Amino acid sequence: MEVLLDYFTIDGEFGGNQDWFTNIVMHIGGCGAATACDSCIYFAKHMGMEPLYPYDINHLNKKDYKSFSQIMKPYIHPRVNGVKKLEWYIDGLEKYLGDISGQIGVCSRIQMEGFSGKHSYEEAETAIRSQIDGKLPVPYLMLNHKMSKKFKDFIWHWFLVVGYDDASEGMHIIAATYGEKVRLPLKELWDTGYDEKGGMILYSLLYE
């Protein structure tokens, strides 16, 4: 059975889309910033954190999304080899959250923990299940992969996991990327075949 977050659409597309970016640097390497933007929109829309998104959360559109990506760019900016470390994403989004709360470095209610790709597949499945069941999206970073043809759109790429589906061969994750809903076999995806791993970001929320 598919378990899916109450995700959002923008002008008929499933979440944000890096291909909308007109800035050449962001168009090529802005997937980390896009994943952070999509996370902020989700939290603003469904977790009562409207200040995370500086535009009208009830009228999402491509124009505002592109403007938001430029706001996020200095915090999670594309580099020569991309945003290839989990801590770069965490540090950047923490700074953004701190700035909009008026307190540099304060994470607001959102906490983040890196989950290395060196964990086992079973641990990754458990983590994703726990996050999605808890109504939390999961930023996922994949670097190189031995099955590069099958996963060509996900090589050296950040995307957001917004659901899962249990199958006989193992969990399939539901990803939001490039404005589409994509189903991926987690066991194959997690086993990259490379020593340099990506991983995931695990969100948690503080309640007053």
Side-chain angles (χ1 to χ4, degrees):
M1 183 181 69
E2 182 178 282
V3 179
L4 188 67
L5 297 180
D6 184 11
Y7 206 52
F8 59 90
T9 59
I10 300 178
D11 292 348
E13 298 196 29
F14 193 71
N17 189 338
Q18 182 182 343
D19 284 343
W20 298 339
F21 299 158
T22 51
N23 177 280
I24 186 64
V25 174
M26 289 293 284
H27 184 83
I28 295 173
C31 55
T35 300
C37 287
D38 288 9
S39 296
C40 288
I41 291 172
Y42 177 83
F43 286 126
K45 191 170 182 65
H46 296 299
M47 300 294 184
M49 302 183 192
E50 289 82 359
L52 294 184
Y53 182 64
Y55 302 98
D56 188 349
I57 194 62
N58 295 311
H59 297 89
L60 300 171
N61 59 76
K62 292 180 183 179
K63 178 177 178 293
D64 288 346
Y65 185 83
K66 288 191 286 185
S67 297
F68 187 30
S69 75
Q70 287 300 109
I71 292 173
M72 191 64 71
K73 178 185 174 184
Y75 296 94
I76 305 178
H77 58 276
R79 311 175 192 218
V80 174
N81 291 316
V83 183
K84 68 173 187 176
K85 294 184 181 295
L86 300 177
E87 55 265 32
W88 292 353
Y89 180 98
I90 293 172
D91 290 347
L93 188 51
E94 281 183 349
K95 288 185 174 69
Y96 172 73
L97 296 173
D99 282 352
I100 64 169
S101 71
Q103 303 177 62
I104 304 298
V106 174
C107 302
S108 185
R109 288 173 50 204
I110 300 175
Q111 302 289 293
M112 288 172 277
E113 177 186 356
F115 184 93
S116 169
K118 294 182 179 180
H119 281 84
S120 69
Y121 158 74
E122 290 77 14
E123 290 171 319
E125 180 182 300
T126 298
I128 289 173
R129 190 185 308 278
S130 176
Q131 293 295 103
I132 299 299
D133 289 352
K135 308 300 183 186
L136 297 169
V138 183
Y140 191 119
L141 169 64
M142 191 172 83
L143 302 178
N144 284 317
H145 200 286
K146 61 185 180 183
M147 301 174 68
S148 58
K149 289 185 178 180
K150 181 171 184 176
F151 298 121
K152 59 183 176 63
D153 292 335
F154 295 88
I155 300 296
W156 225 261
H157 186 54
W158 282 93
F159 57 92
L160 205 58
V161 179
V162 297
Y164 67 84
D165 188 8
D166 289 315
S168 58
E169 67 273 20
M171 175 184 283
H172 283 68
I173 58 173
I174 312 300
T177 187
Y178 295 112
E180 296 182 354
K181 176 184 174 183
V182 183
R183 193 170 182 266
L184 298 164
L186 179 62
K187 186 173 289 187
E188 291 183 8
L189 196 73
W190 195 254
D191 182 15
T192 66
Y194 283 83
D195 291 334
E196 187 176 24
K197 307 288 186 183
M200 302 184 293
I201 304 296
L202 306 183
Y203 290 127
S204 60
L205 302 181
L206 298 177
Y207 293 95
E208 299 178 351

